Amino acid sequence: MQCFVAVAEELNFRRASELLNMSQPPLSRQIQSLEDLLRVQLIRRNTHQVSLTPAGEAFCKDIHSVLVALDAAVASLRKYAEEEQERTGDVRIGLTSVIDFSLIPHLDALIGHPEFAGGQRLERAFSKHLVERVARGQLDVAIVGDIAAPSEELSVESVGRDPMMVALPAGHPAAGKTRLRLADLGDTPLFWFSRADNPVFYDKCERAFRTYGYAAPRRLEPNDFTKLLAAVAAGEGLAFCPASMRAASRIGVVYRPFEEAVERLLTIEVQMVWRAGETRREVLNKIEAIRSALKGAVLPARHALSAPAPGLMR
C-alpha cells in the first residue's frame, strides 16, 4: 500500500522508487501484487506516462487513512511492549556465539544463574546481529566481540580481550612449536571470514598480515565452528579463532598461540553494548553485575573505548 501511494503521488516509478529507497523492478512487482490481490487495475503505465485508473483514484483517497491507522496501531503496540517490559522487569540479554564464556568462571556462573536471566533464555548469535538487535530495542544489553563503536544510539564499554590463536591440522609442521609466527604457517590455506561480516576487524587483521608478509590463500570459513574444525582436521586449511574457543577439542586439530607481538595485533576486544540513555534500574543493575563478573576474571580488566573498534569475526 505504501508503494502504491508513492507511485500515485509521484506518477513516476523512478521518483517513487527513489522516495522508497528501492529499485524500480521490485516496486513494480509490489504494485502488481497489490492489483492481483484486489483483482482491480489501479495504475495505467506505458512508455510515456503513469496514470491512475478511476478505481486507483478512489483507492488512493481511502488508503491514507488506513496507513495512518496502521502507524498508530504499531506505535501503540510498541508503547505497550515497552510498558510491559518495565512492569515485568525482564532484561533481554545477548551473548556472542563466537566466545566461549565457560572459560570466564565468574561470568559463566552469573549468566548461568536462573535469577540473572529472569527465567528467560539468553540469546546467542553472531556479534553483528546482537548489536543490531540492541539498537532496535529487541535486546537490552549484549556481550559482543570487537564490533561496536560508541554512537548516539549505543553505549559501548570494553570489558576485556580475547587473543586469537591458530587451529592447525595435527600433522602441520608448525604444530610442534610452542608459539607461532605468521611465517611458520607457510602457504597453508586460511579459513577466513568475509569482510562484509566485520569490515574494521577484517582490515585490522589485513594490516597485521601485510606487516608480516603473510599472504596465504583464503577459503571462506563455515558458519558452524564444528564444521570448521572438521575441515582443519581433514587438512583442508588452518583457522584463526578466539583463544576462549580452545575448549572445543577435535581429534586431528591442535591449538597454538601466536608469538606475543602478533598476538597483540590479532586480539579481539570483548565489549558490552546497551542503548545510550538507558535509565531502567533493572538494565543498569545487569550491566553492573556483568561489569563486576568480568573484573579480574580470565580476560584483562576493562578500559574505556576512545575510538571506534568494530570487529569480531562475526
Side-chain angles (χ1 to χ4, degrees):
M1 291 189 292
Q2 290 173 327
C3 289
F4 168 72
V5 169
V7 174
E9 290 180 346
E10 296 294 330
L11 293 179
N12 184 291
F13 273 76
R14 180 184 58 78
R15 290 198 299 268
S17 63
E18 292 173 353
L19 183 67
L20 295 167
N21 194 28
M22 64 192 299
S23 60
Q24 291 186 50
L27 174 59
S28 298
R29 289 195 294 270
Q30 290 285 349
I31 299 300
Q32 184 63 54
S33 296
L34 180 62
E35 291 179 328
D36 291 345
L37 179 67
L38 299 175
R39 299 181 181 178
V40 175
Q41 184 181 5
L42 302 172
I43 293 175
R44 293 192 189 97
R45 180 183 186 184
N46 56 40
T47 56
H48 302 292
Q49 65 177 8
V50 175
S51 61
L52 296 178
T53 66
E57 292 179 355
F59 189 60
C60 189
K61 292 178 182 178
D62 295 333
I63 205 65
H64 283 284
S65 59
V66 174
L67 291 175
V68 169
L70 179 60
D71 286 341
V74 171
S76 178
L77 178 63
R78 287 176 175 165
K79 182 178 180 181
Y80 173 82
E82 291 172 359
E83 291 174 348
E84 183 67 16
Q85 178 75 14
E86 292 180 358
R87 284 196 296 272
T88 59
D90 289 339
V91 179
R92 300 156 298 179
I93 300 171
L95 301 174
T96 178
S97 57
V98 179
I99 294 175
D100 185 354
F101 292 101
S102 68
L103 297 183
I104 310 172
H106 295 292
L107 180 62
D108 188 49
L110 176 67
I111 61 181
H113 198 286
E115 291 185 5
F116 179 77
Q120 296 189 99
R121 183 175 61 86
L122 301 180
E123 181 171 333
R124 294 181 183 269
F126 288 142
S127 298
K128 177 180 178 180
H129 302 310
L130 294 177
V131 172
E132 291 171 351
R133 287 177 60 75
V134 171
R136 291 197 297 261
Q138 296 166 336
L139 288 173
D140 297 306
V141 59
I143 301 177
V144 300
D146 207 355
I147 196 168
S151 66
E152 294 182 358
E153 291 184 335
L154 297 175
S155 293
V156 179
E157 181 177 312
S158 177
V159 290
R161 292 174 176 269
D162 198 359
M164 299 281 277
M165 62 181 178
V166 187
L168 289 164
H172 194 281
K177 298 191 175 185
T178 304
R179 279 186 175 267
L180 302 183
R181 302 169 302 159
L182 285 170
D184 295 328
L185 305 178
D187 59 357
T188 304
L190 170 66
F191 285 105
W192 203 229
F193 62 102
S194 167
R195 186 179 185 277
D197 290 328
N198 199 323
V200 175
F201 189 70
Y202 184 97
D203 292 344
K204 171 183 173 181
C205 293
E206 290 298 320
R207 287 193 294 272
F209 296 162
R210 287 194 296 271
T211 297
Y212 287 92
Y214 179 63
R218 309 296 173 81
R219 293 181 177 176
L220 186 64
E221 65 180 13
N223 287 335
D224 182 85
F225 193 65
T226 303
K227 293 179 180 178
L228 174 61
L229 292 184
V232 172
E236 297 174 13
L238 54 83
F240 298 168
C241 50
S244 65
M245 296 300 288
R246 66 185 180 273
S249 61
R250 164 87 191 204
I251 295 175
V253 176
V254 296
Y255 296 116
R256 294 292 181 267
F258 286 107
E259 63 178 10
E260 292 184 4
V262 177
E263 189 176 83
R264 282 194 295 271
L265 295 177
L266 301 179
T267 290
I268 300 164
E269 289 277 354
V270 180
Q271 301 169 319
M272 181 163 52
V273 181
W274 66 96
R275 283 184 299 284
E278 179 63 73
T279 58
R280 284 178 295 154
R281 177 47 51 189
E282 295 85 356
V283 177
L284 298 178
N285 286 343
K286 290 291 191 295
I287 291 171
E288 184 55 40
I290 294 171
R291 188 179 285 142
S292 298
L294 282 168
K295 185 177 181 180
V298 170
L299 298 174
R302 70 187 188 276
H303 64 274
L305 281 178
S306 58
L312 199 227
M313 293 142 101
R314 292 201 182 126

